C-alpha cells in the first residue's frame, strides 16, 4: 500500500492508473477504522482494480470543538488494517493540504439538512460537503463508498454529486453491527463500560419500532422510543424521526406505499451515537 500525503503526488500516481483504463474506488474516512470501514474497502476492492482510502479528521464538520479534540485517532493500527484488506493507496493529508485557505463555500442542501443531524449539528453537513468535494477533486474516483449508518450524509452527498455534476457513482453499503447489535462507529471506543452495555438499547429500540409499526401511529412510536431510551440509566434520546427513505421528509402515517426509515440519535453519557433502520425489510 502506498501512503501519500500530497494532492500533487496522488495526482501523479492516479493519472497512471487512469491512463491504463483502471477504475478507481474511493473510501473517505476519518480513521479509527473498524469493520464497518473495512467492509467499504472490501466492496471497493472487489469492484475496482484500484482502491484509495483517505484518513483525515475534518475540522470543518465538527460543530463541537471538544468532539473534534476527543475524536479517536489510531494511525498505526489503521495502516495495518488497510493493508490487511488490500487497499492500494492511503491518502493522509494534513490541514494545510486540505485547507490552504479558509473554505468559505456554503452549500445548499434544500430540505435535506433542515432535520435530524442538520438541525442538531448546525454547519456539520456544510463541512462534510467542503471536505468531500475537495477529496473528490483530489482523487477523481469512479466510485465512492459510504456506510448507511450515516443515512442522511449519503443523501447529502448524492445531492452534491448531482448538483455539481460529479461523474462519480455513490455506493451505499450496509451498516455493520457488533454481535449485540450496536452499529459500529469510531465513537464506540469512547464509551465507558456501562454506557457501552446500555448502548445496545439503541438498535433494540429501532427493532421494537419496526415490530410495532403495524398497529401504532408515529407519535406513539416516538413516545415509545423516548421512554425506552430515557429509562436506560446513561442514555438520553436526542431524536427519533421516521422519514421517507428517499426524500427524508418525516412521514405522518406509515403505509406500505413509501419506503420509510427510522433514524435515531442518542447520547450515551457524553458520546452521541446515531443509527437507523429501514422499516420494511
Ligand atoms: O463519514 C465520515 O467519516 C466523514 O463524514 C467523511 C465522509 C469521511 C468526511 O469527513
Amino acid at each position: 500500500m502506498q501512503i501519500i500525503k500530497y494532492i500533487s503526488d496522488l495526482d501523479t500516481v492516479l493519472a497512471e492508473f487512469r491512463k491504463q483504463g483502471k477504475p478507481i474506488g474511493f473510501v473517505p474516512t476519518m480513521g479509527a477504522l473498524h469493520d464497518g470501514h473495512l467492509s467499504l474497502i472490501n466492496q471497493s476492492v472487489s469492484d475496482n482494480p484500484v482502491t484509495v482510502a483517505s484518513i483525515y479528521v475534518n475540522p470543518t464538520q465538527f460543530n463541537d470543538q471538544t468532539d473534534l479534540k476527543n475524536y479517536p485517532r489510531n494511525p498505526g493500527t489503521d495502516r495495518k488494517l488497510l493493508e490487511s484488506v488490500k487497499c492500494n493507496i492511503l491518502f493522509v493529508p494534513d490541514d494545510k493540504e486540505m485547507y490552504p485557505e479558509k473554505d468559505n463555500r456554503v452549500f445548499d442542501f434544500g430540505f435535506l439538512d433542515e432535520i435530524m443531524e442538520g438541525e442538531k449539528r448546525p454547519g456539520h453537513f456544510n463541512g462534510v460537503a467542503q471536505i468531500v468535494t475537495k477529496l473528490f477533486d483530489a482523487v477523481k474516483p469512479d466510485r465512492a463508498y459510504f456506510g448507511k449508518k450515516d443515512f442522511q450524509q449519503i443523501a447529502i452527498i448524492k445531492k452534491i454529486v448531482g448538483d455539481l455534476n460529479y461523474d462519480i457513482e455513490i455506493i451505499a453499503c450496509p451498516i455493520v453491527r457488533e454481535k449485540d447489535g450496536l452499529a459500529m462507529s469510531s465513537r464506540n471506543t469512547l464509551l465507558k463500560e456501562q454506557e457501552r452495555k446500555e448502548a445496545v438499547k439503541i438498535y433494540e429500540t429501532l427493532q421494537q419500532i419496526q415490530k410495532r409499526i403495524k398497529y401504532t401511529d408515529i407519535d406513539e412510536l416516538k413516545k415509545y422510543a423516548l421512554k425506552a431510551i430515557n429509562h436506560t440509566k446513561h442514555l438520553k434520546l436526542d431524536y427519533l424521526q421516521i422519514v421517507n427513505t428517499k426524500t427524508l421528509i418525516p412521514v405522518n402515517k406509515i403505509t406500505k406505499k413509501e419506503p420509510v426509515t427510522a433514524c435515531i440519535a442518542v447520547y450515551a453519557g457524553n458520546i452521541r451515537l446515531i443509527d437507523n433502520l429501514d422499516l420494511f425489510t
Side-chain angles (χ1 to χ4, degrees):
M1 182 173 73
Q2 251 178 296
I3 298 175
I4 297 179
K5 280 175 151 179
Y6 302 106
I7 295 172
S8 53
D9 293 343
L10 190 64
D11 239 15
T12 313
V13 171
L14 292 178
E16 192 49 43
F17 288 120
R18 257 182 237 109
K19 224 161 66 192
Q20 295 165 16
K22 292 185 173 166
I24 295 164
F26 177 44
V27 182
T29 82
M30 298 206 298
L33 303 180
H34 49 68
D35 284 353
H37 295 112
L38 300 186
S39 75
L40 305 180
I41 304 279
N42 283 330
Q43 190 60 53
S44 175
V45 168
S46 94
D47 294 347
N48 308 281
V50 182
T51 290
V52 180
S54 63
I55 295 181
Y56 177 65
V57 182
N58 171 40
T60 71
Q61 72 187 76
F62 285 82
N63 54 318
D64 173 350
Q65 290 311 297
T66 315
D67 189 23
L68 171 60
K69 196 174 127 247
N70 293 339
Y71 198 82
R73 291 159 172 90
N74 302 319
T77 315
D78 287 349
R79 281 173 199 194
K80 284 190 198 127
L81 286 171
L82 288 171
E83 279 186 340
S84 75
V85 287
K86 311 229 168 342
C87 177
N88 304 97
I89 295 167
L90 169 59
F91 180 47
V92 279
D94 62 10
D95 290 341
K96 244 169 70 199
E97 190 66 2
M98 292 322 293
Y99 293 102
E101 289 159 22
K102 190 171 184 307
D103 188 343
N104 292 316
R105 289 175 301 160
V106 177
F107 293 79
D108 179 4
F109 307 115
F111 172 72
L112 290 181
D113 75 336
E114 285 175 17
I115 54 164
M116 302 194 289
E117 296 305 287
E119 184 188 358
K120 296 285 181 176
R121 303 182 65 190
H124 168 65
F125 286 127
N126 202 66
V128 169
Q130 288 177 340
I131 192 62
V132 167
T133 50
K134 279 171 178 279
L135 290 168
F136 281 175
D137 292 340
V139 179
K140 301 178 194 72
D142 296 275
R143 303 188 182 94
Y145 297 78
F146 295 87
K148 280 191 185 170
K149 185 176 77 66
D150 295 305
F151 166 78
Q152 195 173 4
Q153 172 170 278
I154 293 180
I156 295 272
I157 286 166
K158 284 186 175 165
K159 177 154 174 58
I160 307 169
V161 164
D163 287 355
L164 302 180
N165 294 316
Y166 279 105
D167 189 12
I168 300 172
E169 187 184 353
I170 301 301
I171 298 176
C173 297
I175 297 176
V176 179
R177 297 184 179 281
E178 301 286 355
K179 278 203 185 78
D180 62 7
L182 178 65
M184 288 200 181
S185 162
S186 305
R187 288 191 170 86
N188 291 353
T189 58
L190 301 174
L191 296 170
K192 300 201 178 102
E193 199 183 333
Q194 195 53 30
E195 294 163 355
R196 170 63 189 85
K197 279 189 189 146
E198 292 178 12
V200 299
K201 195 78 192 173
I202 300 170
Y203 184 49
E204 279 173 14
T205 302
L206 290 175
Q207 287 177 307
Q208 283 301 323
I209 284 173
Q210 191 178 46
K211 277 194 192 139
R212 282 157 199 252
I213 205 147
K214 288 189 202 88
Y215 56 87
T216 186
D217 68 21
I218 303 283
D219 281 342
E220 278 179 46
L221 292 174
K222 286 187 176 176
K223 272 189 220 150
Y224 168 78
L226 189 69
K227 208 166 144 193
I229 296 292
N230 287 10
H231 282 194
T232 309
K233 194 164 176 212
H234 299 92
L235 304 188
K236 190 167 178 295
L237 185 70
D238 198 13
Y239 65 75
L240 172 87
Q241 269 294 2
I242 297 180
V243 299
N244 177 295
T245 306
K246 298 221 165 82
T247 62
L248 270 59
I249 294 174
V251 298
N252 296 319
K253 215 172 170 239
I254 297 167
T255 66
K256 279 228 162 186
K257 288 196 188 116
E258 59 177 340
V260 283
T261 302
C263 302
I264 196 167
V266 171
Y267 281 96
N270 293 323
I271 309 303
R272 193 168 175 282
L273 303 172
I274 57 171
D275 199 353
N276 66 81
L277 185 64
D278 290 339
L279 295 184
F280 298 127
T281 48

